[in-house]
Amino acid sequence: MLKELRQKIFGKEKKKLLTLTGGGARGLAHIGVIEVLQEEGWIPDLVCGTSMGAVVGAVYSLFGDADILRPKLQEAMESEYLRQFKFSRVAPIAGNGKSPIGDSRTNLLQLINFTRFEAGQGDFASANLMRILKLLLGDATFDDINIPFISIATDLYSGKTVDLKKGKLADAVLASSSIPGVFKPVEWDDMLLVDGCVIGNTIVPDQNTRNDYKILAVDVNPLPRCSEYLKSNLNVFLRADQISNYYLNQFNLNVADIVIKPELNQVHWTDFKNVDELIKAGRIAAEKYFKDRSFESNYLERLSAKIQFCEEYGLENYEYHNNK
């Protein structure tokens, strides 16, 4: 079986697609992964990003150099623009160190306060996010990029994902990063766009594109650990929602041939302070896949699992098993 798969896969070299998931601060781990990919000579032919993955992916694609990522993102994370978001209003939702959920009453009040502060002041949150994106990307357009890039958003009208690949990079990334209820939806042609994570955190373009590329996904969204703090209906609801979102993302990861998952279990999505530690986590995870030829082995393992997945669900049109 493995021999047959190897002949199918490596008989013809495919182009490389790098897809970066959202995850707030956890998305900074993408930087470490990309640094290792570049060091190992794995340069993507196409980059796709959702939410924070779109932020990192856009900067990488624009400059075409992983070494630019760390200083550029570090500058943005230390900027006054980021501090103005007042993440302390929502960070306690991560709990008190014993549970990622914490006290339900505190959770609800602080989430309301955060969304009231961000969304209640008109365009403040979106304008502030745009300032950060301008700091990172300037007025660059998709015509200026060194590596083809797609920013993925969700259209509220059609309920479908949208691949953004024209116009200004900052505008496209803003649409992909606009968390519903916090940032103002972005009007784009006849669409109303919000965060791409609404539909799924691991999204790649159309079926033909999937068939043409070897897909490497970087997943920065672990299932948070939970212990005894499920004593209220709200906490039960929040935990159920965490589980639902996690397994939806795992389902979507079946499009990937290779998946790299940095260890980020204790990192809340608002914790932008420990940039170096997050980048380090990404580097450690990526290095594991290049050690002792495990990168190729992981690809074969993922492909075998996808074949089984397609057969079990009767997804003949997926065509993942028709790698020629």
Side-chain angles (χ1 to χ4, degrees), residues 264-283:
L264 300 166
N265 288 319
Q266 299 301 316
V267 181
H268 191 251
W269 70 270
T270 63
D271 187 8
F272 288 93
K273 296 178 181 178
N274 300 311
V275 177
D276 288 336
E277 288 301 312
L278 291 166
I279 294 175
K280 181 180 178 181
R283 289 192 61 89

Side-chain angles (χ1 to χ4, degrees), residues 16-20 34 44-64 133 137 140-153 163-174 176-177 188 205 213:
K16 303 179 183 71
L17 189 159
L18 175 65
T19 181
L20 306 174
I34 294 171
D45 300 289
L46 175 64
V47 177
C48 296
T50 304
S51 200
M52 190 61 183
V55 176
V56 176
V59 177
Y60 176 46
S61 296
L62 176 60
F63 295 99
L133 296 176
L137 302 166
T141 71
F142 279 85
D143 294 330
D144 299 318
I145 58 179
N146 284 281
I147 300 173
F149 170 68
I150 298 175
S151 181
I152 300 172
D163 298 343
L164 302 176
K165 42 192 175 183
K166 64 178 182 179
K168 291 187 177 181
L169 284 171
D171 292 339
V173 175
L174 177 66
S176 179
S177 306
W188 191 291
Y213 287 84

Side-chain angles (χ1 to χ4, degrees), residues 34-273:
I34 294 171
E35 286 179 348
V36 174
L37 292 179
Q38 180 169 286
E39 292 165 8
E40 295 291 338
W42 200 98
I43 307 300
D45 300 289
L46 175 64
V47 177
C48 296
T50 304
S51 200
M52 190 61 183
V55 176
V56 176
V59 177
Y60 176 46
S61 296
L62 176 60
F63 295 99
D65 185 358
D67 294 335
I68 297 292
L69 285 171
R70 188 186 294 251
K72 290 290 287 186
L73 270 296
Q74 185 83 51
E75 179 186 7
M77 298 306 103
E78 294 174 353
S79 71
E80 177 63 28
Y81 303 136
L82 187 71
R83 288 193 292 271
Q84 288 178 11
F85 280 116
K86 309 293 183 183
F87 284 123
S88 60
R89 294 172 179 261
V90 70
I93 291 177
N96 55 10
K98 298 180 179 179
S99 167
I101 296 176
D103 176 69
S104 60
R105 182 175 181 275
T106 301
N107 283 340
L108 186 58
L109 290 175
Q110 299 216 349
L111 182 57
I112 290 172
N113 285 337
F114 179 73
T115 54
R116 178 186 297 162
F117 174 78
E118 300 300 348
Q121 297 190 23
D123 297 335
F124 171 80
S126 295
N128 206 43
L129 178 56
M130 178 57 81
R131 293 186 187 100
I132 295 173
L133 296 176
K134 289 284 188 178
L135 187 65
L136 292 168
L137 302 166
D139 291 318
T141 71
F142 279 85
D143 294 330
D144 299 318
I145 58 179
N146 284 281
I147 300 173
F149 170 68
I150 298 175
S151 181
I152 300 172
T154 301
D155 177 23
L156 290 178
Y157 292 142
S158 68
K160 297 179 180 179
T161 58
V162 179
D163 298 343
L164 302 176
K165 42 192 175 183
K166 64 178 182 179
K168 291 187 177 181
L169 284 171
D171 292 339
V173 175
L174 177 66
S176 179
S177 306
S178 292
I179 302 170
V182 177
F183 301 104
K184 182 181 177 181
V186 174
E187 295 182 3
W188 191 291
D189 295 335
D190 58 348
M191 299 175 290
L192 193 63
L193 305 181
V194 294
D195 199 307
C197 295
V198 169
I199 290 181
N201 221 334
T202 307
I203 302 292
V204 296
D206 59 78
Q207 184 65 56
N208 290 332
T209 302
R210 295 174 187 175
N211 292 336
D212 291 339
Y213 287 84
K214 180 188 295 184
I215 301 171
L216 188 158
V218 185
D219 178 23
V220 296
N221 293 280
L223 179 63
R225 289 194 290 268
C226 182
S227 54
E228 72 275 17
Y229 289 84
L230 293 174
K231 298 179 181 179
S232 73
N233 288 337
L234 178 59
N235 275 351
V236 169
F237 171 79
L238 291 173
R239 182 57 177 172
D241 187 59
Q242 283 182 340
I243 295 170
S244 176
N245 289 331
Y246 174 79
Y247 282 101
L248 172 61
N249 190 48
Q250 298 310 297
F251 181 88
N252 290 332
L253 281 170
N254 280 290
V255 304
D257 301 295
I258 302 163
V259 178
I260 295 178
K261 294 186 176 186
E263 289 290 335
L264 300 166
N265 288 319
Q266 299 301 316
V267 181
H268 191 251
W269 70 270
T270 63
D271 187 8
F272 288 93
K273 296 178 181 178

